[in-house]
Amino acid sequence: MMRRTILVCLLAAGMNLAEAIPARAEHTRTWRQSDSSEFEKGTAKGVAIRSDGKLMPAPRFESFSDPNMAYLWALRLDSKGRLYAAGGSDAKVLRLDDAAKPTTVFESPELAAQAIAFDSRDNLYVGTSPDGKVYKVTADGQKSVFFEPKTKYIWALAMDAKGDLFVATGDSGQIFVVGPDGKGQLFYQSDERHARSLAFDSKGNLLVGTDPSGLVLRIDVARKDGQALPAAGASFVLYETSKKEVTALLTDEHGNLYASAIGEKVRYPNPSVPVIISPAPSQLPQAPSPQQSGIAMAQIQAQAQMTAPFSFFPSPSGGAEVVRIAADGSPESLWSSRDEIAFSMSFSPVGKVLLGTGNKGAIVELEGQGISSTIAKSASAQVTSLISGSDGKIYVATANPGKIFTLGPGYESEGSFESDTFDAKIFSHWGRLTWWGDNGATSGKVAFYVRSGNTSSPEKNWSAWSGPYKNGSGDAISCPPARFVQWKAVFLDTDHGGAPNVSWVSLAYQPKNVAPEIDDVAIQDPGVRVQGFAQQLSGPGTQTPAQVRMPQRGGAVGFQAPPSVQPKIDVPPQGFQDKGYQSVVWSAHDDNDDDLIFSIYYRGQGEQNWRLLKDKITQRFYSWDTTTMPDGAYYLKIVGSDSPSNPPDQALSAEREADRFEIANTPPRIENLVAQSNSPTAVVSFEAVSASTPIERAQYSVDAGDWLIAFPTGLLSDSPKETYQIHLAGLAPGEHTIAVQVSDRFGNTTAAKTTFTASSHAAK
């Protein structure tokens, strides 16, 4: 069966059996990677990893600017296409006419410029936190306080077509509207603690994402005397997410609304009491604390003269999701993750949703039909803002540290992917490398390289990369034999005939054969017979269960069997009492995962030569009838061989001796059984004698009555010869019969009886 299974595996991989590693076919293994979780362990440079397990070229991802800031929160473009970036830890807004030398257009005493927006005249509006304000920066650089909501946080700003600025705040969940003249008023009082994100639908109605219930609200906007007001009964919940915080909202031309939400929902004891989080003591950006909520920035009292940076990024507890709410209101889940957090959203040039995530600094593209791709990773921890620029370019802002990158247009000219290091556990020979993919992946558009070594890290003292290999149906690689191996895929041609992709990669290898190991041998108590779970012992009567002493398991390295091979399952044997039987149970392993066959040898104490007791045993236990063996002390030896999985000249074996054990089938003797009744109390005396083993128990019965325990004269029963005296009182005059029975620890039993007459004097 094993040979047939491996033959199928080799044919499926496109291997020529004549060219496979010779002779030891049973040892041929395959390291195959085809799942996104496996690919995620590797290192992608310009290569996207799709959730359905495909590798493909990623959009070009390049560094654009390093403004030397801890955090960047928001990116915006003015009408001239100039890029602005807002962040902290000191509230600041930069204009990036020159990426190498950004121009500071705004600074304030607050700790962060959290949100920015432009009006039709390119006036810049900046929302700061905590205890923040909305500032206005005119096109000629004049700065002033535009609106002060007197709230702790300003989370989002959104400018509508009429020139009204909507301000989303926390921690009272209020939304304000501010006219072009700077006069503001409360527009909507939410039942939520935070109005977290804002957008507009195609009709100009306001869309709001909240915290902590994770709601997506639509608020119809009416106008009176040119002033924006919520329409009567205007608030409507479009969708309640399964998460607590809606971090971003995005609409498309078809009326679809996309919402990203994060975090596990929690119950707030009192929404009016803010959560105070102390500022980080270090001058460097700090990693987020798991106790911090997604919206909890450092709240610093106005009188505190603190300049230290703060961190308000959530831990991935609760994960994230993205939903699409269609124009008719029907929701659809597009993406979810237990480990990533979605901070920002935008559209790619072809209309796919892009997610900025943390805390691994990845950009995820939603392909549709539940498929997503990790298309880029930055050195920063979080991707906080995405915005479409000109010519298909996407600007990317990050935090921890704050940097700006560009995504696209086009693919990386030569992306590469290095697999995770594979540990074969044993020194191995490497065979053929095969792979599969579309758009020329197997015929020259992707080149593979392989290297090997004997350390877990490939950074030092490994072989050089061998290759390139471009034939997906299989090339024999030239790496030296070793314990560890790694492959690399380089995407060469991404411009002609569509971008290639790789669905799976497989490398054949053959571990060097090593001898099996007998880990432990457990001799069972005398009279215990072991059997397989489904086997039935012969013989009449009901089998009395007996405890089986199991051997210790060894620390086998072991292999994962190919999917086509059924895993080996060792069912513990069952034990039953069966006089005259001796049993042995052992544990063994083989680091090659070979099938093993066992032989059992025995020798008597004082003998030199081992004699075969039983061979060709496939299970790891054996019982035998000892009545054909002389009484005495013996030793067992278990020999295991991997010959079922190897040619005879390459098979290896191991052996292990068991502890000394005894066989005793001869029953003890009862000698000198005498009963005397010449006194008021009859006295019965006898001796119990065993050939080799201590007497374990004696009992007696008078006139066929119940059996009663008798102790030896020395009280302890620990010798092959014991003397007993039994005093009988209250006997009626006349003839009586006393029976005695003795047993040794092997269950051998003998009995005897004697008759005596109790006198009338003894009966008084």
Side-chain angles (χ1 to χ4, degrees), residues 2 244 274 388 424 447 456 499 562 608 680 752:
M2 178 174 286
K244 68 180 292 290
S388 297
S456 58
Q608 299 298 318

Side-chain angles (χ1 to χ4, degrees), residues 288-317:
S289 164
Q291 287 76 32
Q292 298 175 6
S293 71
I295 49 82
M297 294 171 59
Q299 298 187 21
I300 301 178
Q301 301 301 325
Q303 67 272 19
Q305 302 273 324
M306 297 258 184
T307 58
F310 56 91
S311 173
F312 69 99
F313 292 102
S315 73
S317 175

Side-chain angles (χ1 to χ4, degrees), residues 17-93:
L17 293 179
E19 296 177 351
I21 301 176
R24 302 184 293 276
E26 284 79 0
H27 280 197
T28 300
R29 305 287 177 183
T30 299
W31 173 39
R32 180 186 174 101
Q33 289 192 298
S34 60
D35 186 80
S36 61
S37 62
E38 298 168 334
F39 290 141
E40 288 286 354
K41 297 176 183 178
T43 302
K45 297 179 180 178
V47 171
I49 304 174
R50 287 191 10 159
S51 59
D52 60 351
K54 288 186 178 181
L55 300 175
M56 57 194 307
R60 188 176 292 110
F61 188 65
E62 298 176 334
S63 177
F64 179 73
S65 178
D66 184 358
N68 194 29
M69 295 174 66
Y71 309 95
L72 293 178
W73 305 130
L75 297 176
R76 290 293 183 271
L77 295 169
D78 66 11
S79 64
K80 298 179 179 63
R82 294 178 298 184
L83 180 66
Y84 290 75
S89 56
D90 294 327
K92 186 181 294 187
V93 178

Side-chain angles (χ1 to χ4, degrees), residues 1 5 35 80 126 183 185 189 212 228 235 273 278 285 299 340 369 379 390 406 477 529 545 563 617 629:
M1 176 59 72
T5 302
D35 186 80
K80 298 179 179 63
V126 184
K183 294 180 179 179
Q185 64 178 4
Q189 175 62 64
S235 174
V273 178
S278 299
Q299 298 187 21
E340 298 290 338
Q369 298 180 341
S390 59
T406 58
I477 66 172
R529 186 176 180 183
I617 303 173
M629 302 174 68

Side-chain angles (χ1 to χ4, degrees), residues 44-48 56-63 363 374-378 405-417 445 489-496 498-500:
K45 297 179 180 178
V47 171
M56 57 194 307
R60 188 176 292 110
F61 188 65
E62 298 176 334
S63 177
I363 300 175
T374 302
I375 60 175
K377 284 188 176 181
S378 71
F405 300 86
T406 58
L407 183 70
Y411 295 110
E412 293 282 3
S413 58
E414 189 175 281
S416 66
F417 177 85
K445 283 191 173 184
V490 178
F491 290 77
L492 302 174
D493 184 358
T494 60
D495 297 328
H496 301 90

Side-chain angles (χ1 to χ4, degrees), residues 22 24 96 116 123 173-174 198 202 273 305 308 349 382 429 452 494 513 521 581-582 595 605 647 724 756:
R24 302 184 293 276
L96 292 105
I116 54 177
N123 292 311
Q174 295 173 321
L198 295 177
S202 59
V273 178
Q305 302 273 324
Q382 294 90 13
H429 293 267
S452 60
T494 60
N513 190 34
V521 181
Y581 270 82
Q582 181 66 56
D595 291 328
Q605 182 172 302
Y724 296 86
F756 66 94

Side-chain angles (χ1 to χ4, degrees), residues 65 149 277 325 348 386 515 545 558 582 618 670 677:
S65 178
I277 299 177
I325 304 170
S348 72
L386 300 165
Q582 181 66 56
T618 57
I670 297 175
S677 61

